[in-house]
Amino acid sequence: MRHGMDDLLTLMQVLRDAGQGCPWDLQQDWDSIVPHTLEEAYEVADAIERRAFDELPGELGDLLFQVVYYAQFGAEEQRFDFADIVDTLTAKMLRRHPHVFPEGTLASRRPPGVSAAEVQTQQVNSRWESLKAAERDTRARAERADATPSVLDDVPRTLPALSRAAKLSKRAARVGFDWPDARGVVAKIREELAEVEEALAAGDQQHAQEEVGDLLFAVTNLARTLNADPEQCLRATNAKFERRFRFVERELSAAQRPLTEASLDEMEAHWQAAKAEEKQSTHS
């Protein structure tokens, strides 16, 4: 017998039951669960990038469990429940896809004969952004009567810095605040790097740190311009660095050379060997 969504919701209710629940689950609250939510989201991304599809149902289940947790907190405080989450999401997606659901209902469809390929992408994106802007405006007005809506509203502050930088710059680019092409971003990177060098030459470490932030923001914009996700780019580089450094460690160990006693030249030689081996493997 396969379990369904109702079973999962019941399981959470029992885990949080004061008399019969799990002590650890009973101790959790909105704030304590957030780090777990972020971790589970990254584990989903990791499984996808590794193409570990056999692990993906479990990782997606762990992420779904986080949503169920928040739904339970909301129900306990009589704020909302899981059904409210599903209803809010479905209604929002219906609003944002009038080119698919023209009457704003799940049963409505485009006229027969009009394929998805025939729907103009630019028009869809424009409509999507205008709908999101209206939603941001509504939220801002609800939060503060004198609030001025911004295209940067609702970009989560808890996002990883690279992801948030990419999202902020993407929002600004959609209203025309952007370089004309990737060459403009590369020029900006050179400009920011020069400012880092100037700060270092002046011995101003605090200013250098600030300029490094500007440099990272510019590099993030280059990734966005190339339609690349900066977090994915850096994760790939992290993995590459780890592979090569472990190769250095293995080679030194095979030569009975403690890592702490090896010279930089020795380690660099093994590092280059690792690069050459990877290049040969790629082209073989």
Side-chain angles (χ1 to χ4, degrees), residues 88-128:
T88 300
L89 173 61
T90 304
K92 179 169 64 177
M93 290 300 107
L94 287 172
R95 285 196 309 273
R96 291 184 177 181
H97 293 82
H99 52 290
V100 178
F101 307 102
E103 296 174 17
T105 65
L106 200 56
S108 62
R109 297 290 187 274
R110 282 196 303 267
V114 180
S115 68
E118 293 175 290
V119 177
Q120 293 294 322
T121 302
Q122 186 173 358
Q123 292 178 356
V124 171
N125 288 341
S126 176
R127 187 180 298 118
W128 177 275

Side-chain angles (χ1 to χ4, degrees), residues 43-278:
E43 290 184 0
V44 168
D46 177 64
I48 291 172
E49 289 175 0
R50 291 187 291 110
R51 293 298 187 263
F53 295 116
D54 57 326
E55 300 176 17
L56 199 51
E59 298 297 353
L60 287 169
D62 291 342
L63 185 57
L64 174 60
F65 195 63
Q66 302 301 301
V67 177
V68 173
Y69 242 120
Y70 297 122
Q72 181 64 27
F73 292 153
E76 290 171 1
E77 298 177 10
Q78 298 184 334
R79 298 175 184 274
F80 60 84
D81 59 17
F82 188 80
D84 292 320
I85 295 173
V86 174
D87 178 65
T88 300
L89 173 61
T90 304
K92 179 169 64 177
M93 290 300 107
L94 287 172
R95 285 196 309 273
R96 291 184 177 181
H97 293 82
H99 52 290
V100 178
F101 307 102
E103 296 174 17
T105 65
L106 200 56
S108 62
R109 297 290 187 274
R110 282 196 303 267
V114 180
S115 68
E118 293 175 290
V119 177
Q120 293 294 322
T121 302
Q122 186 173 358
Q123 292 178 356
V124 171
N125 288 341
S126 176
R127 187 180 298 118
W128 177 275
E129 284 304 312
S130 65
L131 288 166
K132 289 177 69 176
E135 291 171 4
R136 288 194 293 268
D137 184 26
T138 301
R139 275 197 299 273
R141 292 180 185 281
E143 291 172 2
R144 301 191 309 274
D146 60 344
T148 301
S150 168
V151 295
L152 305 181
D153 285 344
D154 76 6
V155 176
R157 295 184 180 276
T158 52
L159 281 175
L162 286 177
S163 293
R164 191 162 195 269
K167 203 167 185 68
L168 288 170
S169 60
K170 186 177 181 180
R171 288 280 183 89
R174 285 177 176 172
V175 294
F177 192 71
D178 197 11
W179 292 273
D181 52 39
R183 288 174 297 180
V185 191
V186 171
K188 183 64 175 176
I189 291 172
R190 292 197 180 102
E191 176 189 326
E192 297 297 353
L193 180 57
E195 292 180 0
V196 171
E197 292 173 337
E198 289 175 11
L200 290 174
D204 191 339
Q205 185 173 359
Q206 183 174 352
H207 187 207
Q209 290 174 352
E210 179 183 339
E211 294 300 342
V212 167
D214 293 345
L215 177 60
L216 287 170
F217 193 87
V219 171
T220 300
N221 271 279
L222 179 59
R224 175 185 57 81
T225 304
L226 298 174
N227 295 319
D229 177 73
E231 290 284 342
Q232 289 181 331
C233 290
L234 188 54
R235 282 200 297 273
T237 296
N238 288 343
K240 179 168 60 178
F241 177 88
E242 186 175 3
R243 284 196 310 271
R244 292 176 180 176
F245 194 78
R246 288 180 183 276
F247 179 92
V248 171
E249 290 176 315
R250 287 196 302 272
E251 293 298 303
L252 289 172
S253 177
Q256 297 185 339
R257 284 283 285 165
L259 187 63
T260 54
E261 295 180 9
S263 68
L264 180 58
D265 287 341
E266 286 179 277
M267 288 190 282
E268 177 63 22
H270 290 308
W271 180 271
Q272 293 301 327
K275 288 179 64 176
E277 185 177 284
E278 287 184 2

